[in-house]
Structure formats: structure tokens, C-alpha cells
Amino acid sequence: MYVNDIKKEFFEFLSGKRIFLMVHYDIDGICACKILQSLLRYRNILYTLAIVQGKEDIKQAFLENSEDVKYFVLINCGGTIDIAEELNAEDDIVFFILDSHRPIDLCNIYSSEQVRLLSGEEEEALVPAFYDVFRESESEEDKEEESDEEGRAAKRRRLDEEEIMKRREKRLWEENKNKVLFEYSQFTYYARASAIFMFDFAWKLNKEDKDLLWLAIVALTEQLLLGKIENSQYTIEMETLRSHCKRLQNRTYDTEVQTSLKILFEKDLRLTLYRHWTVEHSLKYSMFTAVRLKLWTLKGDKKIYQLLAEMGLPLAQSRQHFTSMDLQLRKEFHGSLEKLAEKYNLQDIEFTSFILQYGYRNKFCASDIVFALLAVLEASPRDKKPEELFNQALDCLSRSKIEVIKAALERAKIIVKTLFKTVQSALDMKQIINAGPFVYYVIQEGCLDWYMFSHLHILSLLAQFILKAYVSMSKNRKAPTLPLIVSAPKDVERGTCLLLGIPPVCENSPKNFFGKAFEQVAEKMNCEVNCDYLDTSYIVMHAKDRTRFFDALAALLN
């Protein structure tokens, strides 16, 4: 069921009770968690926190705590599975779910009291009607009849017309139910960021501030950069956050330069980390410019230097840190790049975003923080536990921990370089294989930083980069209509690999059909596939079954 009055039915309801927080290991989840933590502190609500990465983690956390706690709050997890059934929960346990993964499981939507959804009801316009999916349970007689083949045959002979009509009605209802359920669950996608929803709630409680607004901005930017939402959805949410930004800016009385926090709404460039890097490196390794200028080729590489020359930017300046560049060149950088955008096929290099500024030297774009958080969560030393990295990510969102942010930004540069070099290698060695209805790329164990790609978000960035690069280089007219599957080693000792499927570049919508396709192929092949992830477009399987799996998938999609 949906919670209509969140203040009364969620916040005030939990006041004085002990709760258990389960937070998914992603940027939006971390931002939403940090906002909720600040709200819980106002009410002195006690909570225990657990980080979850998949369904098994949710089950484990629930098993360990269900005896002591009766109220569970799940952020960015639990919405897409029948949570009460999956966890075999007692009737007195209540789940509050705020999840941006879609589609939400129908048992959660139509639960009477036990499962309470915090996301807005208007998002679920495509939800099937209750009686299209659920029927009153059959009588024991019917069940016996279905289980006993001989009895069923005997009974069929003496059925009268009324019973035949009932059977026919039931069969038609079953067919309609399967059709409706397939239409509802065939695509996986993402709805509004949980952190934006949580910030809206803080605003309604009159507990919002610029720090919490920044968390909502970072969550929205992560959705854009990782291709989770359409540009139109980003623009709508961005305008809402912009109005909050103006309101909070006018309300503040802190004018001291060193302590005041400013969130600026302005045009920014699709150049990764350029404020914290050199212009040359940022131009070369950013996905946008790399694809448009084909920078993995010799000809493309020369284009960078032509572009810099036409911008009037000397090599000596473009090879030093952006903040150390000549002040005049820094001021003119945006404008001069924009003037040459059309000539170099760099239209849309600008996009509107937010910039956080405090003190004299601290200036961060929302996309910088997203890459810093990615570096902390997915490119840290392998011996660190998720809980430790989660806390480090929370530090990264804190203004007082500037050293943590700067160290994460340095690590983020390694991610960006690795992505570019992996794509360059895949294209040079012609490793992107056309399988007919899709293309696929397999990351071999032992290649450059291969272990980095065993993480979901970095693998997602690589998949987007590879598909765009392949389409820009391919002479095949069908290339823009082909989806991509990327495979990376997951556990070398067990011989498992991680698979991710993404939709083709011609699709404006990031809705993904691979979750359902993977499930159907795994059933057909009867091979061992682990679908523990909350986003079903990721699966783990044995590397030895991969070729057979691709063949079966090609046959299905054909």
C-alpha cells in the first residue's frame, strides 16, 4: 500500500520506536540515507543501519534483526520483490520502502498493512488492476481436482455446462493475467531519485537546508551520468531543485566568504573532472569528447591539438592543472569551446548543472562529486569492506572532510583513464562481436584493471562508452539499433562472470528489457544463473556457460 500522509503515517508513527535501516549500496541510496539520518536526529529516533547489495544481504540482515526490531525502513531496495513473502516475515513486522528501482512488485502495492510504500502513487500509472492479477483462493476441492489426474479426467466427463463455463472463464483470466504481468514487468527502469523524495519530505517538515539540497542534486546527477533517466526527466527535476536553490539562497544570512555555502545553478561542460585536472586530459578521456572526436584513432588524437590551437590555449597551459592556468584563459575557456562546438561536432557539450562553492578555493560540480563517490565505492582497495566504504562515501558528502574528497577525485581520474583505454583496446583489437540481434564484449581476466569492472556502476559506464564508440565507428547501418551485453570476471576462483545488458543508442528511453530476457534464457537452458542484484539487467553466471547463453539469447531475440 502507498503511504498518503508521510509525516503522520511514517515519521510520527516511528517516533519513539526502534527501527532498522537497510540502504542499498549506491549513490542515490547513500544521499537519501544521509538526509533521513538528519531527520531522525531531530526526533531522537533510534536506528540500526545495514548496507545491502542484493537480495541475499536483505535476507541476512532481516534474519539477524527480526527478533529485536519490528519496523524496517528500506532505501533503494526491497520494492521490486515480494518483500513479506521473500523474508517470510511475521504479521506484526512492518516494512517502509522507498525504492527508485522499477517496476515495484504488485504484492507490495496491494499489501494491506505490512508493506508501506513511501514513493508517490502517481508514478504507478501502469499498475494492473487488483482483480486482473489476484483472485479469491480456490477451494480445497479445486486443488485436489488439479492434483489428481485420474479424478480430474473422471470429473471432466460429468461436468455440466456451468462448470465448463467456469473453467473457460478461469483459463481466460489466467491468460489475461500472464499477459498483464508480462507487460507490467517486461522492462526494468528507474523512477525519481529517492534522495529527491527525501529532500521534499524534509522541506515539508521545514527541516531542509542547503546541505540536504546538495545531496538531492548529487543523486539526480548520478542518475543522469549513469544513464538511469531520460534527459527530459533530468530537466524537470532540475527545475524543481533550482527553485529550492533560489529560495534557500534568499533565506540565508551567512555572508562570510569562508563559511557561507553557495549552490550555483549554471551551464557546465560535459568534460569529466576538468576543474580538478588538466584541460588536455579531460578533453581526451571524457566519454562525450572521446566519442564525438573518435580520440582512440590517430586522426582523432590530432583533433584535440587543433581544437586547443583554435581556442587560443597554449599546450603549456592546457597541460597544467586547470586552477593553475592563466586567469584570463580560464575565464574564456567555456565561451571559446562553445564557439567551436559545431565545427568539431561537439554540439550539446554544455548542460545545466549545479556547482557547490564554499570558502575561497572549494568549488565542486555535482558530476565531480558523483565520480568521487564512484571512486570510493567501487575503485577502493579490494580488502576494504562495503560498510567501511559506505562510511567513507558519507565523509565524501561532508564539507568538513575536504581531504577525503580530493583523494577520491584523484582515484576517479584512474577510473576515467581505464575506461578510455579499455574502449580503445576493444576497438583496436576488434573485440566487440556482432551476434545478430545484439553486440557483446567480453573483458578478459588479466586485462588492464579488470577487477574494477566487477562493480555494477563502473561496468555500466564502460557499457555506455563501448556502445557509443562502436556505433560511431561501425559501417553497419543497424549499429544504432543494436543493444550491448558486456561480460566481466566476477570471481576468478569460482570461474564466474558478471553480465550486463543495455538498450541500443537509438532508444531515447533507458528502459531495459534484458532482465526478462536473461530470466527466460536461463530457464530454457536450465543453467545456473545468480540473479541476486536488485537491477535484473545484471546477472552472475559461470564463464564456461557464457557462449551457450549468448547463442540461446540470440535465438530468443531473433
Side-chain angles (χ1 to χ4, degrees):
M1 64 178 265
Y2 287 102
V3 172
N4 295 318
D5 184 345
I6 293 192
K7 184 180 176 183
K8 192 176 174 184
E9 296 173 37
F10 169 64
F11 199 55
E12 289 176 3
F13 175 83
L14 290 177
S15 189
K17 298 179 174 78
R18 188 178 161 200
I19 64 168
F20 191 88
L21 264 179
M22 287 192 214
V23 183
H24 189 235
Y25 191 73
D26 66 20
I27 292 170
D28 178 30
I30 290 167
C31 293
C33 171
K34 200 167 165 73
I35 297 172
L36 181 59
Q37 283 175 320
S38 73
L39 297 179
L40 295 176
R41 274 198 294 273
Y42 283 117
R43 275 292 172 105
N44 295 321
I45 297 173
L46 292 173
Y47 65 89
T48 311
L49 176 68
I51 317 306
V52 297
Q53 289 182 296
K55 296 169 197 169
E56 284 306 314
D57 288 352
I58 296 174
K59 286 178 187 173
Q60 189 62 36
F62 178 77
L63 270 175
E64 288 170 6
N65 296 277
S66 55
E67 285 182 19
D68 308 322
V69 186
K70 296 298 173 195
Y71 301 98
F72 289 80
V73 179
L74 288 80
I75 295 178
N76 269 4
C77 57
T80 56
I81 54 175
D82 181 357
I83 193 79
E85 179 70 27
E86 197 88 22
L87 301 180
N88 199 15
E90 299 289 333
D91 292 344
D92 60 342
I93 287 176
V94 178
F95 299 96
F96 289 93
I97 297 176
L98 176 59
D99 195 352
S100 61
H101 295 92
R102 292 292 182 273
I104 285 185
D105 191 275
L106 292 172
C107 294
N108 294 338
I109 292 174
Y110 289 118
S111 168
S112 55
E113 285 290 323
Q114 194 165 18
V115 182
R116 305 177 190 188
L117 301 171
L118 301 177
S119 51
E121 203 166 334
E122 71 285 346
E123 294 171 16
E124 296 298 327
L126 303 169
V127 176
F130 180 83
Y131 291 107
D132 282 347
V133 182
F134 301 100
R135 260 169 89 109
E136 286 179 25
S137 59
E138 301 143 51
S139 66
E140 288 302 312
E141 190 186 343
D142 282 353
K143 285 181 183 171
E144 278 172 33
E145 186 182 69
E146 281 180 22
S147 62
D148 183 359
E149 195 65 43
E150 285 177 30
R152 194 163 44 176
K155 193 144 189 174
R156 197 181 290 125
R157 284 193 291 273
R158 59 176 192 271
L159 282 175
D160 58 19
E161 270 184 41
E162 193 183 325
E163 284 175 318
I164 290 170
M165 288 302 287
K166 273 186 187 173
R167 285 284 180 87
R168 184 171 176 275
E169 223 174 87
K170 189 184 171 189
R171 196 187 74 247
L172 290 171
W173 181 86
E174 286 283 355
E175 284 172 8
N176 183 57
K177 175 192 168 183
N178 292 338
K179 183 185 168 214
V180 162
L181 281 177
F182 179 77
E183 283 172 3
Y184 177 67
S185 63
Q186 65 178 319
F187 294 111
T188 54
Y189 58 102
Y190 287 82
R192 191 184 201 199
S194 298
I196 297 178
F197 181 90
M198 207 44 91
F199 174 77
D200 267 359
F201 178 47
W203 172 46
K204 283 166 188 163
L205 292 174
N206 203 21
K207 302 290 184 195
E208 90 285 22
D209 58 31
K210 283 187 275 187
D211 282 306
L212 299 190
L213 174 62
W214 181 246
L215 295 171
I217 289 167
V218 169
L220 175 65
T221 309
E222 180 246 2
Q223 285 195 318
L224 178 77
L225 293 180
L226 293 175
K228 290 181 178 180
I229 55 169
E230 298 171 37
N231 284 334
S232 56
Q233 200 177 335
Y234 172 76
T235 307
I236 292 163
E237 294 291 2
M238 186 188 61
E239 285 302 326
T240 310
L241 294 176
R242 183 188 184 185
S243 59
H244 282 299
C245 187
K246 277 184 179 175
R247 182 176 56 79
L248 289 169
Q249 202 65 48
N250 294 336
R251 204 174 75 177
T252 187
Y253 305 109
D254 189 357
T255 52
E256 181 63 40
V257 177
Q258 280 185 287
T259 57
S260 76
L261 171 68
K262 279 185 185 173
I263 298 176
L264 310 169
F265 177 81
E266 56 184 57
K267 284 186 176 180
D268 200 26
L269 298 169
R270 293 182 199 271
L271 294 180
T272 313
L273 305 171
Y274 74 92
R275 285 186 184 83
H276 312 278
W277 214 353
T278 69
V279 167
E280 184 188 10
H281 276 129
S282 186
L283 276 168
K284 181 167 184 176
Y285 296 121
S286 298
M287 190 192 303
F288 182 84
T289 45
V291 170
R292 293 294 180 93
L293 300 174
K294 300 185 176 107
L295 296 180
W296 45 83
T297 63
L298 207 59
K299 194 178 173 185
D301 203 29
K302 285 177 184 173
K303 273 190 186 174
I304 283 192
Y305 302 109
Q306 285 174 15
L307 175 62
L308 291 170
E310 284 195 52
M311 283 168 67
L313 199 61
L315 269 183
Q317 291 284 335
S318 67
R319 282 176 177 167
Q320 60 184 350
H321 205 280
F322 186 76
T323 50
S324 309
M325 274 168 56
D326 185 86
L327 183 62
Q328 194 58 33
L329 290 172
R330 245 185 6 227
K331 281 181 180 175
E332 291 169 358
F333 180 63
H334 263 233
S336 52
L337 189 55
E338 197 186 351
K339 280 176 195 167
L340 294 164
E342 204 167 322
K343 182 180 177 181
Y344 284 88
N345 186 30
L346 296 174
Q347 301 93 324
D348 313 323
I349 194 164
E350 280 195 325
F351 76 114
T352 37
S353 184
F354 295 88
I355 287 160
L356 179 80
Q357 192 169 357
Y358 55 96
Y360 291 105
R361 299 181 64 186
N362 301 318
K363 192 173 183 180
F364 299 101
C365 172
S367 56
D368 296 339
I369 300 297
V370 170
F371 273 99
L373 288 167
L374 266 182
V376 168
L377 295 174
E378 299 194 341
S380 291
R382 282 189 277 177
D383 57 345
K384 298 220 171 176
K385 290 181 179 173
E387 291 77 13
E388 201 181 330
L389 299 175
F390 186 90
N391 287 326
Q392 211 175 317
L394 288 174
D395 287 344
C396 206
L397 288 165
S398 167
R399 284 188 285 143
S400 57
K401 304 282 175 78
I402 196 72
E403 329 74 46
V404 177
I405 300 173
K406 287 184 174 171
L409 287 170
E410 289 306 310
R411 219 177 298 151
K413 292 173 190 175
I414 298 168
I415 296 177
V416 177
K417 278 184 177 179
T418 304
L419 288 170
F420 177 83
K421 286 173 181 174
T422 306
V423 172
Q424 185 176 32
S425 163
L427 290 166
D428 286 350
M429 298 173 78
K430 295 187 169 46
Q431 290 173 325
I432 304 161
I433 312 296
N434 189 332
F438 61 88
V439 289
Y440 67 88
Y441 170 64
V442 176
I443 298 163
Q444 299 300 334
E445 178 204 330
C447 79
L448 179 75
D449 293 331
W450 62 268
Y451 56 86
M452 207 184 270
F453 300 117
S454 62
H455 295 96
L456 307 192
H457 297 104
I458 295 180
L459 188 66
S460 171
L461 281 174
L462 177 71
Q464 289 179 52
F465 202 159
I466 279 189
L467 188 56
K468 286 174 183 173
Y470 171 78
V471 170
S472 74
M473 294 295 284
S474 178
K475 289 172 184 172
N476 181 357
R477 282 185 189 174
K478 287 185 179 177
T481 65
L482 297 174
L484 168 78
I485 297 172
V486 174
S487 169
K490 179 68 181 167
D491 188 326
V492 179
E493 287 172 16
R494 289 183 186 170
T496 57
C497 62
L498 175 65
L499 251 65
L500 162 67
I502 63 165
V505 294
C506 68
E507 295 278 338
N508 292 324
S509 166
K511 286 188 174 183
N512 197 322
F513 64 86
F514 273 112
K516 208 74 181 163
F518 287 161
E519 186 188 308
Q520 288 176 358
V521 172
E523 264 178 48
K524 201 174 177 183
M525 279 178 60
N526 197 21
C527 75
E528 197 185 325
V529 169
N530 182 357
C531 306
D532 187 48
Y533 296 113
L534 301 172
D535 183 341
T536 54
S537 55
Y538 295 90
I539 58 165
V540 174
M541 66 184 301
H542 286 287
K544 60 181 170 57
D545 295 331
R546 187 168 48 206
T547 307
R548 251 182 353 117
F549 190 87
F550 284 163
D551 291 343
L553 187 62
L556 175 78
L557 296 179
N558 264 330

